[in-house]
Amino acid sequence: MAQDNEKEVLQLKNRFHDLAERSFTQGVYTFTGFLGLWEQDIFWKEEPALHYAGVTMYGGHENSDRVMVRFGSTDELGYVADFPIVCLHIRPLQQKFADELSHRDFLGALMNLGIERSTIGDIKVGQKQAYLFCQDTMAEYICEHLTQVKHTAVSCRVTDEAVSLPEETPELVTIQVQSLRADAVLAKVYNLSREKSLDLFRAGKVFVNGRLCENNSRLLKFGETVNARGFGKFTVSSDCKETRKGKLAVTVSVFR
């Protein structure tokens, strides 16, 4: 298993370098597929050696979890190429009789179509419907073949109605901690013991601003976003203030 993982990492690194080199030498923009957190971490570790080609990340909307990397510099190429991303609106044919559909339900239905995960970005779910960001080359196929999610018949169409995206409304929570150590804040936000919080770091399940965080004692800063696989994500939303008892009070925006 370890060898398989090392092989995947090497293949991904080579892919990044091939795309960067092709962009730089041929004077064109090149794009990766959608990258998850694990893949983004590998990219950031390679980024110093790729920066020469020009690097931009985007996932179709603000604060995307899954993003593409575009290689190419506007200053060098003289034009801007849009990311090959479209948004699809998936909704029940009969809203009244539709199942309560989750992110897992929509993702499962898409995977059953036999398409690669790298062609699919974020899926925003709400009110038994979803907005899906995907590669533009996959849009027609998905619209034609995605006809059912769970037991619900659905329709799918390309949309420009970005304003219609279900809003992720975070829960503002004020916590008190001895310090802004990542493990302490994580434990407090998700009501975990310090040991269970440490287990997440040991298992490689904690990412800060899209990069794997292996240092559980790392001090978090204002504006940083922490993703904890299996729990969700939160953003440090305020500077900390010292309480009368000497602790630090900080507000975090928690996305469940």
Side-chain angles (χ1 to χ4, degrees), residues 76-116:
E76 294 293 332
L77 300 180
Y79 71 101
V80 178
D82 291 334
F83 279 76
I85 300 172
V86 296
C87 181
L88 305 182
H89 185 194
I90 308 169
R91 58 184 176 182
L93 293 180
Q94 294 182 300
Q95 180 83 8
K96 181 178 180 180
F97 302 105
D99 295 316
E100 291 295 337
L101 301 173
S102 67
H103 181 281
R104 183 187 295 272
D105 294 326
F106 284 101
L107 180 58
L110 289 162
M111 291 295 94
N112 285 338
L113 297 181
I115 59 182
E116 295 184 5

Side-chain angles (χ1 to χ4, degrees), residues 12 16 32-41 43-44 56-70 83-86 103 106-107 110-111 115-124 131-135 138 165 168 207 209-211 225 227 229 233:
L12 189 56
F16 291 148
T32 67
F34 285 99
L35 307 177
L37 290 173
W38 176 77
E39 296 156 320
Q40 290 175 46
D41 178 66
F43 167 78
W44 283 119
T56 310
M57 302 181 78
Y58 184 59
H61 67 103
E62 190 176 356
N63 300 320
S64 302
D65 288 327
R66 294 178 60 80
V67 298
M68 285 184 177
V69 175
R70 182 181 67 193
F83 279 76
I85 300 172
V86 296
H103 181 281
F106 284 101
L107 180 58
L110 289 162
M111 291 295 94
I115 59 182
E116 295 184 5
R117 186 68 175 96
S118 62
T119 65
I120 298 175
D122 286 357
I123 306 172
K124 297 294 184 181
Y131 288 85
L132 163 71
F133 293 89
C134 69
Q135 290 185 5
M138 295 302 302
L165 286 175
E168 275 193 283
F207 296 80
N209 287 350
R211 308 188 190 197
T225 297
N227 287 75
R229 283 185 171 175
K233 66 180 179 179

Side-chain angles (χ1 to χ4, degrees), residues 194-244:
R194 180 63 68 88
E195 186 62 29
K196 287 186 177 181
S197 174
L198 287 174
D199 285 342
L200 293 177
F201 287 89
R202 295 176 184 135
K205 294 184 176 181
V206 181
F207 296 80
V208 178
N209 287 350
R211 308 188 190 197
L212 179 66
C213 182
E214 298 178 291
N215 179 12
N216 61 284
S217 62
R218 180 192 192 282
L219 296 180
L220 297 178
K221 300 175 183 177
F222 170 73
E224 289 190 319
T225 297
V226 178
N227 287 75
R229 283 185 171 175
F231 290 87
K233 66 180 179 179
F234 64 86
T235 299
V236 181
S237 301
S238 73
D239 291 321
C240 55
K241 298 180 181 179
E242 188 171 346
T243 68
R244 293 180 180 180

Side-chain angles (χ1 to χ4, degrees), residues 15-21 23-24 28-32 43 50-51 53-56 69-73 77 83:
R15 177 64 174 161
F16 291 148
H17 285 278
D18 288 345
L19 289 171
E21 184 65 17
S23 174
F24 185 75
V28 296
Y29 285 100
T30 58
F31 301 85
T32 67
F43 167 78
L50 302 168
H51 189 73
V55 170
T56 310
V69 175
R70 182 181 67 193
F71 294 101
S73 168
L77 300 180
F83 279 76

